[in-house]
């Protein structure tokens, strides 16, 4: 294994994130090829946490853009500081050269930087997380293409603004819709799956070092079998950890029918899913 990839795995582990070889390689390529990384996978598999951990690993800032339908330039790239512009106009309203006045108020000093512009304006490389890109519409994807391919943004009044330092860009998607081929071509790609039982037990043990190994194994077995069921929202790693913390708080050493009925809200977040589990026995999931 490449020594830098091995160091990545070790350092991420110190930051409580367990990388497998394939994901570690994807992060290595993100750092060295200067290409964005698209992470797809089910909700709760650790895509967003990867970006946060990468920022900690690099000792740099994380700039996060949470996507939703209807995103536009003013919320993602820039907006003019109208109050500051009006104040400048009032102060210099006697200015004879109106063109010069216009050039003054349409400069970078009057721009409110939104996440994408913040990321390419940073003096040192930051981690730019474009979270849940599948929730945004195709028009927003078109906005992104210039940034993802050339690390620059075009603003009509200012021209093309190139990155001061290239950010490390991570895009995440839960696949609620299919992303465009144009966006995919500009990115490295990795599918983030739910961890294996062994890995998930390691994650719980890393986060909760005092947990009994038998209890951790029961939790993970139960959760993995839940994920195989026909649920509205299968539980992610965060739910596994929440349940483990809950059972520790309640001084449980093993999972029982009674404890499942009272604590399943730590794991499942949909009424029908909760009802489904409460009508089963623990042994059906272990």
């Amino acid at each position: 294994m490449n020594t830098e990839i091995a160091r990545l795995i070790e350092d991420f582990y110190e930051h409580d994130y367990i990388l497998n070889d394939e994901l570690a390689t994807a992060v290595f390529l993100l750092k060295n090829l200067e290409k964005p990384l698209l992470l797809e996978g089910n909700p709760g598999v650790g895509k967003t946490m990867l970006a946060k951990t990468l920022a900690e690993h690099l000792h740099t800032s994380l700039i996060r853009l949470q996507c939703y339908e209807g995103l536009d330039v003013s919320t993602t790239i820039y907006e003019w500081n109208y109050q500051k512009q009006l104040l400048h106009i009032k102060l210099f309203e006697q200015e004879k050269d109106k063109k010069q006045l216009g050039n003054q108020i349409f400069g970078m000093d009057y721009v409110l930087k939104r996440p994408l512009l913040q990321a390419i304006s940073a003096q040192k490389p930051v981690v730019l997380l474009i979270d849940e890109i599948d929730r945004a519409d195709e028009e927003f994807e078109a906005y992104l293409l210039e940034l993802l391919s050339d690390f620059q943004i075009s603003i009509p009044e200012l021209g093309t603004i190139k990155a001061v330092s290239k950010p490390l860009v991570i895009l995440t998607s839960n696949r609620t819709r299919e992303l465009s081929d144009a966006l995919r071509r500009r990115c490295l790609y990795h599918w983030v799956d739910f961890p294996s039982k062994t890995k998930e037990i390691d994650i719980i043990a890393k986060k909760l070092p005092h947990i009994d190994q038998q209890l951790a194994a029961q939790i993970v077995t139960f959760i993995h079998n839940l994920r195989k069921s026909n649920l509205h929202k299968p539980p992610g790693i965060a739910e596994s950890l929440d349940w483990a913390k809950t059972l520790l708080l309640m001084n449980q050493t093993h999972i029982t029918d009674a404890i499942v009925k009272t604590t399943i809200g730590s794991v499942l977040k949909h009424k029908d899913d909760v009802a489904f589990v409460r009508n089963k026995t623990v042994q059906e999931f272990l």
Side-chain angles (χ1 to χ4, degrees), residues 3-4 8 16 22 33 46 61 74 121 130 145 170-171 176 178 181 188 195 219 226 243 245 247-248 266 277-278 281:
T3 55
E4 187 175 341
L8 265 177
D16 293 341
E22 294 80 10
L33 294 182
S61 300
S74 65
S121 301
I130 303 174
L145 297 182
I170 293 179
L171 303 94
T176 58
E178 191 63 34
D181 290 340
L188 302 165
I219 291 169
L226 272 182
W243 201 26
K245 292 174 186 176
L247 297 180
L248 284 178
S266 300
V277 171
R278 284 179 174 164
T281 65

Side-chain angles (χ1 to χ4, degrees), residues 159-175:
T160 299
I161 300 174
K162 295 183 178 293
V164 176
S165 55
K166 292 181 181 179
L168 288 88
V169 184
I170 293 179
L171 303 94
T172 72
S173 168
N174 297 329
R175 295 205 70 180

Side-chain angles (χ1 to χ4, degrees), residues 24 30 47 50 59 72 78 87 123 143 146 151 169 173 187 216 232 236 240 264:
L30 162 68
K47 302 186 295 296
L50 176 74
H59 305 288
D72 58 17
Y78 78 104
L87 179 60
Q123 292 302 309
Y143 286 141
E146 183 181 18
F151 293 97
V169 184
S173 168
C187 299
H232 289 274
S240 296
I264 197 62

Side-chain angles (χ1 to χ4, degrees), residues 20 111 217 282:
N20 59 31
V111 169
V282 166

Side-chain angles (χ1 to χ4, degrees), residues 3 25 82 93 114-115 137 151 153 155 199 203-205 214 230 265:
T3 55
T25 301
Y82 297 115
E93 59 186 3
R114 301 309 184 199
D137 49 36
F151 293 97
I153 290 174
I155 297 178
K199 183 181 175 184
I203 292 170
I204 292 175
Q214 185 176 357
N230 188 24

Side-chain angles (χ1 to χ4, degrees), residues 82-92 110:
Y82 297 115
Q83 290 182 327
K84 190 174 180 180
Q85 287 175 321
L86 287 172
L87 179 60
H88 186 103
I89 291 171
K90 286 188 176 182
L91 288 173
F92 297 93
Y110 296 86

Side-chain angles (χ1 to χ4, degrees), residues 73-75 77-82 110-114:
V73 171
S74 65
T75 53
I77 302 178
Y78 78 104
E79 188 175 5
W80 290 109
N81 189 335
Y82 297 115
Y110 296 86
V111 169
L112 296 173
K113 297 176 182 177
R114 301 309 184 199

